[in-house]
């Protein structure tokens, strides 16, 4: 699957994208130009979201976007989803995950180039750094230094994703530092017009093509 790892990366939220409306909301984001969609569900069991995972993956494929499942390693392998993203609780399993998961594998590196170096050796597909701004989704997340993006861009050939309190007003500075992907939650889902908000973000990337 030849998907370019760049652009707007929207992440679902248990409160802001409830199951009753998530498909409609994701569709609006895709129509607004989102290139990557992550399902981040912290409350349901694997069985409860299996059907939704397959529906979201199909929807993303229709728009030639990448679908990513957050944290659910076994489910991602079972359903052969196109993308999987894992954080620090699975860092010790990345080699095993890489051997068993054939899709796009992304990893949270927080503010650590050391973690990024280790993960690059394990053949992950993209590196995520953050949080760069105070985030309502993860209010206790320590803030990352924006220079981490510049250093990572210089050192690694892998695409760089940034996350944490990103809005259409503060995003450009992170793109200018070298970010390839902007991971956004609140600013997209809290907006009155999801499609228009996503278009605001996608225009920021126009000069990066």
């Amino acid at each position: 699957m030849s998907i370019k790892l760049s652009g707007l990366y929207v992440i679902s939220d248990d409160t802001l994208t409830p199951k009753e409306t998530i498909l409609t909301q994701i569709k609006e984001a895709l129509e607004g130009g989102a290139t990557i969609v992550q399902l981040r569900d912290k409350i349901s069991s694997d069985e409860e979201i299996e059907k939704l995972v397959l529906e979201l993956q199909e929807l993303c494929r229709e728009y030639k976007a990448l679908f990513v499942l957050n944290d659910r390693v076994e489910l991602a392998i079972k359903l052969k989803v196109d993308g999987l993203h894992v954080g620090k609780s699975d860092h010790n399993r990345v080699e095993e995950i890489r051997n068993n998961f054939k899709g796009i594998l992304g990893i949270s590196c927080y503010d650590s180039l050391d973690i990024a170096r280790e993960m690059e050796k394990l053949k992950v597909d993209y590196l995520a750094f953050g949080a760069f701004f105070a985030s309502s989704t993860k209010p206790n997340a320590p803030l990352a230094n924006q220079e981490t993006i510049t250093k990572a861009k210089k050192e690694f050939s892998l695409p760089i994703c940034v996350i944490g309190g990103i809005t259409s007003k503060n995003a450009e500075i992170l793109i200018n530092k070298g970010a390839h992907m902007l991971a956004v939650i609140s600013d997209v889902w809290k907006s009155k017009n999801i499609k228009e908000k996503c278009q605001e973000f996608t225009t920021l990337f126009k000069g990066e093509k």
Side-chain angles (χ1 to χ4, degrees), residues 8 10-12 17-38 52 55-65 67 188-189 193-199 202:
L8 175 61
V10 296
I11 300 178
S12 75
T17 56
K19 289 196 176 67
E20 303 76 46
T21 56
I22 186 170
L23 284 163
T24 306
Q25 289 172 287
I26 296 289
K27 189 167 194 278
E28 287 170 16
L30 290 165
E31 285 177 353
T35 52
I36 305 162
V37 172
Q38 182 187 118
L52 177 62
E55 287 174 332
L56 285 172
Q57 169 142 293
E58 194 51 45
L59 181 61
C60 288
R61 285 177 174 175
E62 281 175 33
Y63 284 85
K64 295 188 169 46
F67 172 72
V188 165
W189 307 128
N193 188 317
I194 291 170
K195 181 178 175 180
E196 277 181 16
K197 175 57 73 171
C198 290
Q199 285 169 337
T202 54

Side-chain angles (χ1 to χ4, degrees), residues 5-11 36 38 85 106-110 125-130 132 148-149 152 158-164 166 174 178-184 205:
L5 291 170
S6 64
L8 175 61
Y9 184 149
V10 296
I11 300 178
I36 305 162
Q38 182 187 118
H85 186 95
I107 197 92
S108 294
C109 302
Y110 309 98
D125 295 292
Y126 71 83
L127 305 167
F129 295 95
F132 288 100
T148 299
I149 308 170
L158 292 173
I160 293 160
C161 177
V162 292
I163 190 166
I166 296 170
L174 302 181
H180 301 97
M181 293 166 269
L182 298 171
V184 185
F205 286 94

Side-chain angles (χ1 to χ4, degrees), residues 50-128:
E50 198 167 303
K51 180 171 177 279
L52 177 62
V53 167
L54 293 170
E55 287 174 332
L56 285 172
Q57 169 142 293
E58 194 51 45
L59 181 61
C60 288
R61 285 177 174 175
E62 281 175 33
Y63 284 85
K64 295 188 169 46
L66 173 67
F67 172 72
V68 177
L69 185 58
N70 178 272
D71 281 349
R72 314 276 185 138
V73 175
E74 283 67 32
L75 187 61
I77 292 167
K78 175 188 173 186
L79 299 180
K80 297 183 170 66
V81 296
D82 292 333
L84 171 65
H85 186 95
V86 296
K88 58 176 173 280
S89 58
D90 287 305
H91 280 183
N92 61 333
R93 299 179 58 199
V94 169
E95 187 170 12
E96 169 217 332
I97 293 168
R98 182 72 288 178
N99 288 335
N100 292 292
F101 180 71
K102 302 308 173 200
I104 298 289
L105 179 59
I107 197 92
S108 294
C109 302
Y110 309 98
D111 196 23
S112 172
L113 294 173
D114 286 338
I115 292 174
R117 286 180 197 111
E118 193 184 326
M119 295 304 160
E120 185 187 39
K121 286 183 197 135
L122 297 175
K123 298 188 164 46
V124 302
D125 295 292
Y126 71 83
L127 305 167

